[in-house]
Amino acid sequence: MDLTYTEEEEAFRARLRDWLAGALAKLPPKPSPGDWPGRRAYDAGWQRALYDAGYADLHWDASPTQRLIFLEETERAGAPYVGANFVGLLHAGPTIAAEGTPEQRERWLPPILRGEEIWCQGFSEPDAGSDLAALRTRAVRDGDDYVVTGSKIWTSHAEVADWCELLVRTDPRAPRHRGISWLAMPMDAPGVTVRPLRTLAGSAEFAEVFLDEVRVPVRNRVGDENDGWRVTMVTLSFERGTAFVGEVVACRRVLAELARAARRSGRWDDPALRRRLGRLHAEFGALWRLTQWNVSEAQRSPGGVPGVGGSVFKLRYSHARQELYDAAAEVLGARALVLDGEGGPWVADRLSSLSYTIAAGTSQIQRNIVAERILGLPKGG
Amino acid sequence: MDFQPTEEQRALRAGLREVLAARFGQDALRAAVAAAEAGAPVVDRRLWRELGDTGFFALGLPEEAGGVGLGLPEAVLLFEEAGRALLPGPLVATWLAAGTVPGAAEGRVLVTAYDLGDGLVTYPAEADAVLGGSGPAAVAAGRPAVAAGPAASVDPLTPLGRAARSEGTAEAPGTAGSVGTAGTAGTPGSAGSAGTARPAAAGPGGAGGPGEPAPYRREGALLTAALQVGSALRTTELAVAYAGRREQFGRPIGAFQAVKHLCAQMLVRAELARTAVYAAAVTGDPVETAAAKLLADEAAVRGARDCLQVHGGMGFTWEAEVHLHLKRAWLRAEQWLTAAEAEEALAADLTES
């Protein structure tokens, strides 16, 4: 049980810190949330800067410990979040790197790393959410193309994406997990319609994507035909692995800010509030250690693929994040009802935190995973 | 960085699990409860001595002092196993007294501590010595002074007595001279600095920042948290085994999500607490120790509660092992560092950063 970093890891951290200090000084002003072209340019510009400095491929081509250090340090320094590059760097990229042909890797990976092409995710459908394998979007072979018809939902960054990692049904007669394929679909293909979905936070983070006889070349399929479910599971394990490292660092900072705000306002004199924040301090400290635990486990496993321990983390973290912002509301009192006041960012984050127990596998699905795959309880029910 | 236990650490843990499976299995546990009810001493002195022979109590002492020369990371792995087996006896206080109270390291004596509030002390009749107070001169030899007599303990395997002195008073029973045998300890000559025998904890008791507990109290809280983690992991296993075996409506109750999700949450709490305990053992940090105790208490108490619920009516019986875990978890939650104390310590740290 060793929590100290090696000399090389510390050297990597020091180099990264130096570089971040300089790079962040040159960052353009942050675009407003509704300015999609501006957001794309901002996120792409940051990714390009990472690429030029040699930090672009850390999400899938570094040791898990290096990735942990990278995410920790970028968050500490206040660097931009991965943003519109999320799917490319954390879902589609790792999948193509693991499952693609040399030609496919050559075609898609460099533009992702340079921030030139943005990807979105076409997995969920109106009738296939937690039960993803129920997806019905059809792909029918026609010569060298698949002709794709159906609809996708909860697609982040669809407005600005160049590519969509798309799950389609290629064999409707096969058992449902065995009739699915993974396609890279160009978002400018005829027949693709994007309709933004406004979230309860007021912003349009997601979209619905309607597909009407969209032609996707067969060479855009990653993995074998009807093997898309297995290909997808590789992606999802990455999503539940180190994806939240930066956020845990950020939550710990928010907690300290909450304590300072409570001291200023006098609410700190309330022992119930103090104890509530103290408990959250324990929670996020332990979640940080659990991340290091999971990274150490991934480091030992072949290929560094995160294990099911990610589900344990995701379950606890998503609830802790909601509790954090509920505690923020207690610190703010009635000011928690004001979006443009001093507590505005906390109020906005309180709203967005509500998605955490739903997105990327609901807490109920995560509990099924923990109970069935880790504890070995029977399926069904 | 490799936070996972090393091969040697895993082997150490597996070794104790084997010893306890052979010497304190479920039958022995039941027999111990029956014996305790009949008024016999709770602690099996022979087993205590055997534990001493394995190096359990001397684990943290330097080798030149007859110890094993290992640290808190190894200790928490062993205490986790002891917690899993519900091994009775003042394990934590005796561990802390090793190198200070003669015979503790070898398992020849039982050492209890003033680690509970409200004037209560564990093992009042069986303990040979007591650790107490939070300042220097915190170790006293001799039996704990029990004036008002024994108290009927909710946990059948942890006898309680009402102590004559309340914790924190200046007067300590026994004399510092009896502690002077700690010439073998890491701090020769500092006879009065209790529990500082281990290099990791060196320094006068009560030192550190304001509100920071004496090192031996911090170690006591951490090792107690490790016992809680073992209990939490064990109740998770018990619940899962029962849920997979017990059938209602034509299938195992573990196939129902209402039951399955209780089990999943038990594991989530136990794993988070375990990580916190291991981290605090590695860093020795008082704030991480407070977090570990808080989370481990929660994992153990709520784990036992959920385990009881999964067992249904069987869980409410004396015969099932579940109530023993719950009662011990309640007791340990009151030892060394309570939830309120831990939360206040954590809150104080937030405003310092």
Side-chain angles (χ1 to χ4, degrees), chain A residues 1-2 4 9 260 268 274-275 278-279 281 289 293 296 300 316 364 367-368 371-372 378 380-381, chain B residues 1-5 9-10 255 257 260-261 265 269 275 288 294-295 298 343-344 346 349 351 353:
Chain A
M1 281 190 256
D2 185 4
T4 56
E9 285 161 352
R260 283 195 290 274
W268 191 250
R274 271 201 316 270
R275 288 185 58 181
R279 177 167 284 266
H281 190 19
R289 296 304 189 190
W293 178 264
S296 297
R300 287 180 175 207
R316 189 74 180 222
Q364 286 67 34
R367 288 189 194 107
N368 284 350
E372 289 164 14
Chain B
M1 179 195 73
D2 186 1
F3 192 13
Q4 303 268 327
Q9 288 169 332
R10 284 172 205 269
Q257 289 190 343
K260 189 179 280 184
H261 289 188
Q265 285 304 116
R269 286 190 300 261
T275 312
E288 287 210 279
L294 182 68
L295 294 170
E298 184 194 38
E343 284 168 350
E344 286 288 9
L346 285 152
D349 180 67
T351 57
S353 54

Side-chain angles (χ1 to χ4, degrees), chain A residues 84-263:
Chain A
N85 293 300
F86 183 87
V87 174
L89 288 170
L90 284 140
H91 295 228
T95 304
I96 295 164
E99 300 287 330
T101 64
E103 295 75 31
Q104 288 173 332
R105 291 203 292 269
E106 187 51 38
R107 166 62 191 87
W108 286 310
L109 298 186
I112 291 175
L113 296 176
R114 290 194 296 258
E116 291 163 3
E117 290 184 344
I118 303 294
W119 285 66
C120 63
Q121 190 185 67
F123 284 8
S124 296
E125 297 181 6
D127 290 325
S130 290
D131 186 11
L132 183 58
L135 63 92
R136 285 193 306 213
T137 292
R138 280 282 284 135
V140 180
R141 190 80 172 253
D142 180 28
D144 291 335
D145 291 337
Y146 288 107
V147 179
V148 182
T149 299
S151 64
K152 295 290 178 177
I153 196 166
W154 319 127
T155 305
S156 304
H157 307 293
E159 286 89 339
V160 293
D162 303 290
W163 293 92
C164 179
E165 54 163 344
L166 192 69
L167 286 184
V168 293
R169 186 156 302 283
T170 34
D171 184 354
R173 282 168 305 278
R176 41 193 228 137
H177 292 89
R178 302 214 189 102
I180 294 169
S181 300
W182 193 104
L183 303 181
M185 179 183 74
M187 288 296 283
D188 60 358
V192 178
T193 308
V194 173
R195 192 170 80 193
L197 260 177
R198 204 162 173 221
T199 72
L200 61 75
S203 57
E205 294 295 320
F206 306 123
E208 284 179 281
V209 178
F210 299 96
L211 308 169
D212 182 16
E213 300 196 349
V214 180
R215 297 191 83 84
V216 180
V218 171
R219 64 171 186 277
N220 285 15
R221 190 190 67 230
V222 170
D224 289 338
E225 189 169 87
N226 299 326
D227 195 28
W229 184 260
R230 188 191 58 77
V231 170
T232 304
M233 287 304 116
V234 174
T235 319
L236 289 184
S237 69
F238 274 93
E239 183 177 18
R240 288 168 195 164
T242 48
F244 300 107
V245 168
E247 295 192 11
V248 173
V249 174
C251 284
R252 298 183 76 185
R253 191 181 53 230
V254 168
L255 193 54
E257 288 166 7
L258 283 180
R260 283 195 290 274
R263 286 258 290 224

Side-chain angles (χ1 to χ4, degrees), chain A residues 276-296:
Chain A
R276 186 176 185 182
L277 296 182
R279 177 167 284 266
L280 282 166
H281 190 19
E283 190 95 3
F284 282 105
L287 283 165
W288 171 249
R289 296 304 189 190
L290 185 57
T291 304
Q292 291 181 311
W293 178 264
N294 287 342
V295 162
S296 297

Side-chain angles (χ1 to χ4, degrees), chain B residues 256-277:
Chain B
F256 293 102
Q257 289 190 343
V259 174
K260 189 179 280 184
H261 289 188
L262 276 184
C263 296
Q265 285 304 116
M266 290 170 77
L267 184 77
V268 169
R269 286 190 300 261
E271 288 290 342
L272 191 73
R274 167 148 78 166
T275 312
V277 166

